[in-house]
Amino acid sequence: MLVIKIGGAAGIDYSNLCNDIAQLAAQGQPIVLFHGGSDGANTLGEQLGHPPRFITSPSGHTSRQTDRRTLEIFMMATALLNRQLVERLRGLGVNAFGLSGLDGGLLQGNRKTNVRAVENGRVRVIRDDWTGSIDQVNRDLLQMLLSTGYLPVIAPLAVSAAGEPLNIDGDRGAASVAAALEAETLLLLTNVSGLYRNFPDESSLIERLPRTELTHASEKLAQGRMKKKLLGAQTALEAGVRRVIIGDGRSEQPVSAALAGNGTIIE
Amino acid sequence: MLVIKIGGAAGIDYSNLCNDIAQLAAQGQPIVLFHGGSDGANTLGEQLGHPPRFITSPSGHTSRQTDRRTLEIFMMATALLNRQLVERLRGLGVNAFGLSGLDGGLLQGNRKTNVRAVENGRVRVIRDDWTGSIDQVNRDLLQMLLSTGYLPVIAPLAVSAAGEPLNIDGDRGAASVAAALEAETLLLLTNVSGLYRNFPDESSLIERLPRTELTHASEKLAQGRMKKKLLGAQTALEAGVRRVIIGDGRSEQPVSAALAGNGTIIE
Amino acid sequence: MSAQCPECEGTIALAADILDGEIVPCPDCGAELEVVSLNPVVLELAPEVEEDWGE
Amino acid sequence: MSAQCPECEGTIALAADILDGEIVPCPDCGAELEVVSLNPVVLELAPEVEEDWGE
C-alpha cells in the first residue's frame, strides 16, 4: 500500500501526478491519494473578501486561523481540488472515489477548544477555531473502498464526535491514513526536491535520513511546512509505516521518481 | 427504501429535515438523501463575479448555462451544502456519508455536446456546456454503503465516460437513484405544499395524482422547476418506484408529514 | 449579408445582427444550420437537439 | 489598570492596551490567566495548551 500526499501549493502539475498514478494503479499498486488545499483556500478567501489569517503558536507552528467562514471557504476550495483530481484520474481509467475525513467518519478527531496565537510578542487565546487533531481512522471504510476497486482521493477534513468538520494538517492526515493501513510507503510530495541540510541550497539535499535523526532535523533543519511534514513522518514511522519519502511534486513522474530513490528517504 | 430530494432553494430549514431523518433512520428506515444546490451556486457565483445565466431551451426548459467556471462554482456550492448536511446528521448520531455522482462513478451520464438557447426569439447553439444526462447508477456502490450502515448524502453531479463532472438536475438524479434502488418511495421536498391545480392558490393543492395524469399535469399545471419534478416522478414510476410524493420542505417534520399523506401523492 | 448553405449550396440571406452560434434554417433545402463563425459568416449543419437535463 | 487574580486574589497590574483574550501570568502565584473581557477587565484561568494541528 502506497499513501501519497500532494500539497495544494502552486507549481504542482496535477496531470503529471495523475498520469503517474494511473500507470502505477494499472500495474496493480494499491494507492490512496491525500491532498491539501491551502493555496486554493487562500485564493478563494481573497476573492470572497475573507482573506486567510495565519497564526503562529507559542511553539512556532503557523496555521490558518479557522473561524467558521474560513472553514467553509476551506471546505469549498478543498472540495473543488478533490473533484478536479477525481475528474483527471477517472479520465485516465482510474476508478477514483473522492471523499473527505468528514464522510462516514473517515478521520475522527477532537476539535481544539482554543488556540494560542503570538502577535508581536503577546500571546492571545482564540476560541472560534475549527481545527482539530486526528485520533482515529475508519480503516474498515478505506479497506472496503480499496477492496472493491476504488482509489480513494481524500480531502483534508476530520470530524469531531459532535459531527463538526475540522481543518486538519494534510501531512498529518496522510500519516494517520498510512499508519491505519500499515502502508509500506508514505510519500509526501512537495514543491522542492526534499529536505535540505541548508535550504534553499539544492546541493544540500539529504538523500537518506535515519528515523533517529528526525527530531533533530525537524528542530534544526526544517522550516515552516517542512516541520509539519517531518512530524507527519514521525507519526507514520512510529505507527509501523516502513518508510516515508519526501519527494518532488514538480517532476515529470513524481511518484515513480520518488519510489526509485529520489528525494529524502526516511527509514 | 426511501429516497429524499431536498432542493437548494431558500426557505428550507435543514435542521427540521435532519432531525426528522435522524428519527426515521434510528427506527431502521433505510434512507438516501439527495440534494440540489441552485441557491448556493447563484449566491457564490454573484460573490465571485460570475453570476448565473439561465437559458431556456426551445421546448421551454430553463437551466443554468454551465460553462467551466460555472461548473466549478456549482461544485463548490453543492459540496458546501453536502458537508453542512453531513455535519448536521452526524451531530444527530446518523452515520452520514457525503459523496457526489462523480465519486466512484455513482451517476454515469453523457455530457451534452451542445445546448440550444432561445434569446428574444432567436435560437442559438451553446457549446461549452457541462450539463449531462444520467444513464446509469452505480447501484453496487450505494448498496455497499447502505449495507454497512452509512446514510448516503448525494450532491447533484454526474460523470461522463471521460471523467468529466456534469451538472445534473437534482430531481432527475434522485429519481434515477430511487429507480436503481427500487425504492418504495421517492420524496421530492420543495418550498411549496405540493402540486396545485392553479398555482399559487393553496386551496387548489392536488392531494392524489394518478400516474396516468402525470403528462397532462406537467404540460398544463406545472411551471418552471415543478415541471422537472414531474418529469423526475415519471422516470421513477416507470422504473418501478411505487410512489412519488411532492412534499413541503418547510414543515416541522417534512418527511414524516409527507409519509403520513401530506402533499401530492403520485402512484 | 448572405452565406452559402453547406447542404444544398443555395445562398441564404442573413440578418445584419446575426449571432455567433445562431440557428438558421435553409429556405431552399430546409436543413437546420448553425452560424459557426462571423466575418466571414460560415454555416454548418446544426448538431442534433439533445434532451434538456441541466439543473 | 489592574485586575484580581482568580486563583490567589492578588492584584495584577495590566498594560493599558491589554488585548481581549490575552494571556497574562500572575506575578504572585504564577497561574496563567486569560483576559476574558475588557471594561471591566476580567481574568480567568487560561485553558490548557493543546497541540497544534491545523493545516
Side-chain angles (χ1 to χ4, degrees):
Chain A
M1 172 58 64
L2 164 62
V3 175
I4 304 169
K5 156 70 171 35
I6 183 79
I12 290 190
D13 178 342
Y14 296 113
S15 46
N16 282 340
L17 171 68
C18 291
N19 290 336
D20 203 2
I21 286 176
Q23 265 161 17
L24 289 164
Q27 293 153 15
Q29 166 66 55
I31 291 173
V32 172
L33 178 59
F34 199 105
H35 64 83
S38 43
D39 235 39
N42 297 348
T43 315
L44 186 60
E46 256 126 36
Q47 291 169 339
L48 292 174
H50 194 80
R53 280 160 305 161
F54 291 90
I55 42 179
T56 310
S57 72
S59 61
H61 277 281
T62 53
S63 64
R64 178 187 306 273
Q65 183 177 340
T66 313
D67 55 26
R68 179 69 192 193
R69 182 69 181 132
T70 303
L71 173 74
E72 293 189 344
I73 290 169
F74 185 78
M75 291 199 287
M76 287 196 282
T78 49
L80 178 58
L81 176 56
N82 191 273
R83 301 210 191 298
Q84 288 165 336
L85 288 168
V86 171
E87 171 181 20
R88 210 181 282 271
L89 287 168
R90 292 197 70 83
L92 293 165
V94 176
N95 194 1
F97 187 108
L99 70 166
S100 77
L102 171 64
D103 300 312
L106 175 62
L107 297 174
Q108 291 148 39
N110 280 307
R111 181 176 170 194
K112 298 184 61 159
T113 51
N114 71 85
V115 180
R116 293 199 180 187
V118 180
E119 277 152 32
N120 33 55
R122 304 171 71 169
V123 181
R124 211 162 51 87
V125 174
I126 294 173
R127 282 226 155 56
D128 174 25
D129 191 77
W130 294 78
T131 54
S133 62
I134 304 155
D135 306 332
Q136 223 184 330
V137 175
N138 183 347
R139 181 167 49 160
D140 295 346
L141 170 58
L142 270 181
Q143 279 168 339
M144 177 172 77
L145 292 173
L146 287 160
S147 62
T148 44
Y150 297 102
L151 192 152
V153 179
I154 305 175
L157 284 176
V159 61
S160 73
E164 297 152 316
L166 303 174
N167 162 9
I168 54 165
D169 173 59
D171 295 306
R172 294 233 189 141
S176 307
V177 166
L181 294 174
E182 290 156 7
E184 291 81 41
T185 305
L186 166 65
L187 170 55
L188 304 175
L189 288 174
T190 171
N191 51 8
V192 285
S193 319
L195 179 64
Y196 303 127
R197 205 161 291 290
N198 33 55
F199 183 80
D201 170 7
E202 292 268 348
S203 71
S204 74
L205 174 67
I206 301 172
E207 294 192 347
R208 292 292 173 281
L209 182 75
R211 63 177 72 191
T212 48
E213 293 178 25
L214 250 179
T215 320
H216 167 268
S218 104
E219 272 148 23
K220 296 292 177 301
L221 306 178
Q223 288 149 2
R225 292 210 54 74
M226 189 56 85
K227 250 193 211 298
K228 292 196 177 175
K229 288 197 190 305
L230 296 180
L231 270 173
Q234 193 136 29
T235 316
L237 290 168
E238 278 161 8
V241 173
R242 237 166 14 81
R243 66 178 172 166
V244 177
I245 306 174
I246 299 180
D248 191 339
R250 301 166 302 179
S251 50
E252 185 70 22
Q253 296 190 302
V255 183
S256 310
L259 296 179
N262 297 288
T264 302
I265 320 284
I266 310 170
E267 274 167 327
Chain B
M1 170 59 61
L2 165 63
V3 175
I4 303 170
K5 156 71 173 33
I6 183 80
I12 290 189
D13 178 341
Y14 295 113
S15 49
N16 281 343
L17 171 67
C18 290
N19 291 336
D20 203 2
I21 286 176
Q23 263 160 17
L24 290 164
Q27 294 151 14
Q29 166 68 55
I31 291 173
V32 171
L33 177 61
F34 199 104
H35 64 82
S38 44
D39 237 39
N42 297 348
T43 315
L44 185 60
E46 255 127 32
Q47 290 167 340
L48 292 174
H50 193 80
R53 280 160 304 159
F54 290 91
I55 43 180
T56 310
S57 71
S59 62
H61 277 278
T62 52
S63 63
R64 178 187 306 274
Q65 182 178 343
T66 313
D67 55 26
R68 179 68 190 195
R69 181 72 181 132
T70 303
L71 173 75
E72 294 190 341
I73 290 169
F74 185 77
M75 291 200 286
M76 287 195 283
T78 48
L80 177 60
L81 178 55
N82 192 273
R83 301 209 192 300
Q84 290 166 334
L85 288 169
V86 170
E87 171 182 21
R88 210 182 280 274
L89 286 168
R90 292 195 71 85
L92 294 166
V94 175
N95 193 1
F97 187 108
L99 70 166
S100 77
L102 171 65
D103 299 311
L106 174 63
L107 297 176
Q108 289 150 41
N110 280 308
R111 180 176 170 192
K112 295 184 61 157
T113 51
N114 71 87
V115 180
R116 293 197 181 189
V118 181
E119 277 151 34
N120 31 53
R122 305 173 71 171
V123 180
R124 214 161 49 88
V125 175
I126 294 173
R127 281 228 155 50
D128 173 25
D129 193 77
W130 293 77
T131 55
S133 63
I134 306 157
D135 306 331
Q136 224 185 330
V137 176
N138 184 347
R139 184 165 49 160
D140 295 346
L141 170 57
L142 270 181
Q143 281 170 337
M144 178 171 77
L145 292 173
L146 287 161
S147 62
T148 42
Y150 297 103
L151 192 151
V153 180
I154 304 175
L157 283 177
V159 60
S160 72
E164 299 153 315
L166 304 173
N167 162 10
I168 54 165
D169 175 58
D171 295 303
R172 295 232 189 143
S176 306
V177 167
L181 294 174
E182 290 157 7
E184 291 81 45
T185 305
L186 166 65
L187 169 56
L188 303 175
L189 289 175
T190 171
N191 51 6
V192 287
S193 321
L195 178 64
Y196 301 127
R197 205 159 294 288
N198 33 54
F199 184 79
D201 172 4
E202 290 270 346
S203 70
S204 75
L205 175 67
I206 301 171
E207 294 193 349
R208 291 292 172 281
L209 185 74
R211 63 178 70 193
T212 49
E213 293 178 29
L214 252 180
T215 321
H216 166 268
S218 104
E219 272 149 20
K220 294 292 176 301
L221 304 178
Q223 288 148 5
R225 291 210 54 78
M226 189 55 86
K227 249 192 212 298
K228 291 193 178 176
K229 289 198 189 305
L230 295 181
L231 272 172
Q234 194 135 28
T235 315
L237 290 168
E238 276 160 11
V241 174
R242 240 166 12 83
R243 65 177 173 167
V244 177
I245 305 175
I246 299 180
D248 193 338
R250 300 165 304 179
S251 51
E252 183 71 21
Q253 297 190 299
V255 183
S256 309
L259 294 179
N262 297 288
T264 302
I265 318 287
I266 310 167
E267 272 166 323
Chain C
M1 211 163 50
S2 67
Q4 204 188 30
C5 170
E7 295 295 301
C8 70
E9 286 155 13
T11 311
I12 305 172
L14 299 171
D17 62 353
I18 190 90
L19 298 168
D20 185 26
E22 189 165 349
I23 303 275
V24 176
C26 170
D28 301 342
C29 71
E32 270 205 331
L33 307 173
E34 179 195 347
V35 177
V36 288
S37 76
L38 294 167
N39 25 51
V41 176
V42 175
L43 299 177
E44 270 172 22
L45 199 60
E48 282 305 311
V49 182
E50 293 180 30
E51 255 194 271
D52 307 301
W53 281 92
E55 160 93 356
Chain D
M1 213 165 44
S2 66
Q4 205 189 30
C5 169
E7 295 296 301
C8 71
E9 286 154 12
T11 312
I12 306 171
L14 298 171
D17 62 351
I18 191 90
L19 298 168
D20 185 24
E22 189 166 351
I23 302 274
V24 175
C26 169
D28 301 341
C29 71
E32 269 203 331
L33 306 172
E34 176 196 348
V35 177
V36 290
S37 78
L38 294 168
N39 26 44
V41 175
V42 174
L43 299 176
E44 271 174 21
L45 200 59
E48 283 305 310
V49 180
E50 293 179 28
E51 255 193 83
D52 306 302
W53 280 94
E55 161 93 355

